[in-house]
Amino acid sequence: MRMKFAGRELDLSRSHVMGIVNVTPDSFSDGGQYNTTELAVQRARQMVADGATFVDVGGESTRPGAAPVSEQEELDRVSPVVEAIARQLDVVVSVDTSSAAVMREGASLGAGLINDVRALQREGAVEAAVETGLPVCLMHMKGAPGTMQERPEYRHVVRDVAAFLMDRVRVCESAGVPADQILLDPGFGFGKSAEHNFQLLAALEQMRMLGYPLLVGMSRKTMLGQVTGREVSERLPASVAAATISALKGVSVIRVHDVRETVDAVRVVEAMQSAAY
Ligand code: 7PJ
């Protein structure tokens, strides 16, 4: 199960760690593009040293209630960071965007993966993704970021999420995205109650059986606060537990804030899986 990300081919039968690099105003306190870019590259450099295979660069906050950002603003935030990381570091740069323009610009600056929490449903996104020739991650979200956590309901969350993702796969493949350049993501926390999220976590092997490599993100999320009673800043152990479960269930890419700790957990899982007895 190999996939090529802008010149870098990876074995997705193993678990890789993706470090989160947010380029939103709330993630770096002081403004100024140079400073912001420098800090983002510095953070990415540490993540690579800690064992990240991917860094995910995003300029739009999708937190519940977050203000929408214009396409130009997103381009201004993301472009210099994608360019600098792609040029300076040996890592696959993923661009976390739903915007066709940001996908095109990101690809031209050296990004290796398009990560879209809206599964390429925005105007022109599928066409832009096809043009770049890059692999895409299609994520499930129910509703829109502003309101998605208001009483989400499903007939059967695992079946509904799988059906949505396979519908998006069909649309993308029809438009020219090669089947072997698609990753799927159940979208933990995007229009889901704690019970929904843990049902999806339990069902990751079933998701795997859809035939596409999986990417998941649970790092520091509310679902972990709901079962531990911990605030965001105290969710590292729960995040590592969620990542460990993901690796055990065959997830290919694990998106996290804490790369070093997560890489250790993945190594322990891999050591067990390769041990002969
Ligand atoms: C995810 C994401 C996720 C993918 C965010 C946060 C919210 N992309 N972008 N999967 N989450 N593919 O990190 O808390 O779960 S932003």
Side-chain angles (χ1 to χ4, degrees):
M1 197 176 26
R2 301 188 73 80
M3 202 181 283
K4 204 164 177 184
F5 301 88
R8 199 161 198 260
E9 191 173 282
L10 296 175
D11 175 10
L12 295 187
S13 66
R14 298 178 53 177
S15 300
H16 299 268
V17 174
M18 168 185 275
I20 300 169
V21 177
N22 282 319
V23 201
T24 48
D26 46 320
S27 52
F28 294 111
S29 48
D30 49 354
Q33 191 58 65
Y34 176 77
N35 204 26
T36 303
T37 302
E38 279 308 293
L39 284 167
V41 173
Q42 207 177 299
R43 182 167 297 193
R45 182 173 285 113
Q46 185 62 52
M47 288 173 163
V48 175
D50 289 341
T53 314
F54 295 83
V55 292
D56 191 37
V57 179
E60 182 212 9
S61 175
T62 45
R63 257 162 229 251
V69 48
S70 75
E71 193 161 72
Q72 190 57 53
E73 175 67 24
E74 200 186 333
L75 278 169
D76 292 345
R77 288 179 187 174
V78 165
S79 304
V81 176
V82 169
E83 191 275 330
I85 296 175
R87 182 165 42 81
Q88 296 182 41
L89 303 176
D90 183 21
V91 70
V92 178
V93 181
S94 161
V95 57
D96 189 348
T97 189
S98 299
S99 147
V102 177
M103 291 172 193
R104 287 201 180 86
E105 181 75 0
S108 77
L109 295 172
L113 171 67
I114 293 167
N115 173 30
D116 184 4
V117 298
R118 294 178 184 82
L120 305 180
Q121 291 181 100
R122 272 211 186 143
E123 186 74 42
V126 175
E127 295 75 13
V130 170
E131 261 179 50
T132 67
L134 293 178
V136 298
C137 175
L138 306 175
M139 196 196 82
H140 174 272
M141 163 161 43
K142 188 176 178 74
T147 52
M148 65 191 177
Q149 289 308 105
E150 295 170 9
R151 296 204 148 271
E153 283 184 48
Y154 295 85
R155 282 209 319 258
H156 183 299
V157 67
V158 176
R159 263 183 260 150
D160 292 1
V161 167
F164 169 86
L165 290 174
M166 290 313 291
D167 185 63
R168 295 309 300 159
V169 163
R170 185 182 53 73
V171 169
C172 291
E173 291 185 3
S174 302
V177 180
D180 61 2
Q181 291 188 28
I182 297 175
L183 296 107
L184 299 181
D185 183 341
F188 289 102
F190 286 86
K192 283 129 191 145
S193 67
E195 191 182 10
H196 296 143
N197 285 312
F198 282 96
Q199 285 172 340
L200 286 165
L201 179 58
L204 282 177
E205 291 105 327
Q206 266 164 270
M207 273 302 167
R208 233 336 340 262
M209 292 192 297
L210 295 174
Y212 296 84
L214 301 181
L215 184 156
V216 302
M218 286 176 276
S219 184
R220 301 183 188 173
K221 282 187 180 174
T222 300
M223 62 183 283
L224 303 177
Q226 284 165 319
V227 294
T228 59
R230 308 270 184 221
E231 291 306 318
V232 179
S233 62
E234 302 295 322
R235 292 179 191 161
L236 174 59
S239 299
V240 173
T244 306
I245 294 168
S246 305
L248 281 168
K249 287 176 177 280
V251 168
S252 301
V253 186
I254 307 173
R255 181 182 178 277
V256 300
H257 301 88
D258 303 283
V259 170
R260 191 170 70 117
E261 293 85 348
T262 309
V263 167
D264 279 3
V266 169
R267 288 196 177 138
V268 172
V269 172
E270 285 190 334
M272 178 193 72
Q273 287 170 335
S274 61
Y277 66 93

